[in-house]
Amino acid sequence: MPNFSIGVDLGGTNLRIAAVSGEGQLLEKITLGTKVALGRDHVINEMCAAIQQLSGKYKSSGKFLGAGIGVPGIIDMASGMLRKSANLPGWEEYPVRAEIERRLGAPVVLENDANVAALGEQWLGAARGVANMAVVTLGTGIGGGIVLGGKIWHGMNGMAGEFGHVTIEPEGQLCGCGNRGCSEQYASASSIMRMAREAIGSGRAPELAQAASSDAEFGAKSIYNLALQGDENARRIFRSFGRYLGILLAGLINVLNLDMFVIGGGVCSAWDAFAPNMFEELRERSMVYAATAPDEPLKISFLGEEGASAQTESRGARKTIITRALLGSDAGLYGAARVAAPER
Ligand SMILES: [Zn+2]
């Protein structure tokens, strides 16, 4: 049994803890709910108990190298404290890393959740073997992480990769960050809902209005289903979504010229509804993309598990690959385990 580390995905609703071998094999995973309402100390107690349970179980057969914890929010890497977290109220100004290290008696790394998701995809997912890449996660907002030379790029103090707050409409929608026209107001799951509400409000989208009133779980997925059925209003929403995502990516490609951009998050299941417009926009707006685009970007956009390595092997021609994430919500768990036990 090999050495192992523990990755933790500490979200606003879920707390997941996994023991992962140094080679990237998942040994065991524990899923708990994050009882944020019961307070920080309660959550830390539960997390540490689960980490100890797993480390105790596997340490007879391999060395426990430490724990990595992916946290939603802005982290001060030097102090191991949360600077700001909308989902974990009461965690700021508390020595999270030091306290967990004290309890575990093992090294702990605190890392932003989008950053560990990026590292997870780079280590074991769509970008395996690709040294320079970024992940753009399309969820309620847009998360971002940049990996350069196999390591997370933190920027000056851990705030790099805020792709969701890049302006793509100067006088656009007001964003929670205080800016107007941020990309996450136009290319996230919530933006799909906003566009649907606007279409319904205009009175010219009867199918959407009907679905919204009859479907108790009306969401981005229902809108995608309508798009599949050919509803023009639903299709327009995804075209607009793809266009805005393309505008964001065009800027990122021009600035970073990375080998691969991995698109993750639940909205990716609607890939075929938005990707054509995304690629169209990329070619028009990014000269770097136009010069490095694969011949058939849509076809190589999702090659599955074997395809990931095939893609990187065929990278002799140095193309900019835009592809879908492979690991889903486990990317963060693997990436968190990886930061605790970097390449040896
Ligand atoms: Zn913003």
Side-chain angles (χ1 to χ4, degrees), residues 73-140:
I74 296 171
I75 292 153
D76 186 308
M77 298 302 295
S79 66
M81 285 163 67
L82 261 75
R83 209 173 263 203
K84 206 173 171 200
S85 178
N87 297 322
L88 298 171
W91 287 63
E92 291 102 341
E93 308 308 318
Y94 177 81
V96 182
R97 185 183 65 207
E99 176 57 22
I100 298 171
E101 269 181 346
R102 188 185 67 75
R103 295 196 197 192
L104 298 179
V108 170
V109 179
L110 212 59
E111 184 55 86
N112 171 266
D113 56 354
N115 285 348
V116 287
L119 190 65
E121 287 290 342
Q122 193 268 340
W123 184 28
L124 300 167
R128 231 175 319 160
V130 180
N132 306 309
M133 54 83 75
V135 167
V136 183
T137 306
L138 312 172
T140 315

Side-chain angles (χ1 to χ4, degrees), residues 271 275 279 296-303 311 322-324:
W271 181 269
F279 284 117
E296 295 186 274
L298 269 170
K299 276 200 180 150
I300 63 155
S301 295
F302 191 45
L303 296 176
Q311 271 179 79
I322 316 280
T323 189
R324 288 170 62 175

Side-chain angles (χ1 to χ4, degrees), residues 165 175 177 182:
H165 301 286
C175 180
C177 75
C182 286

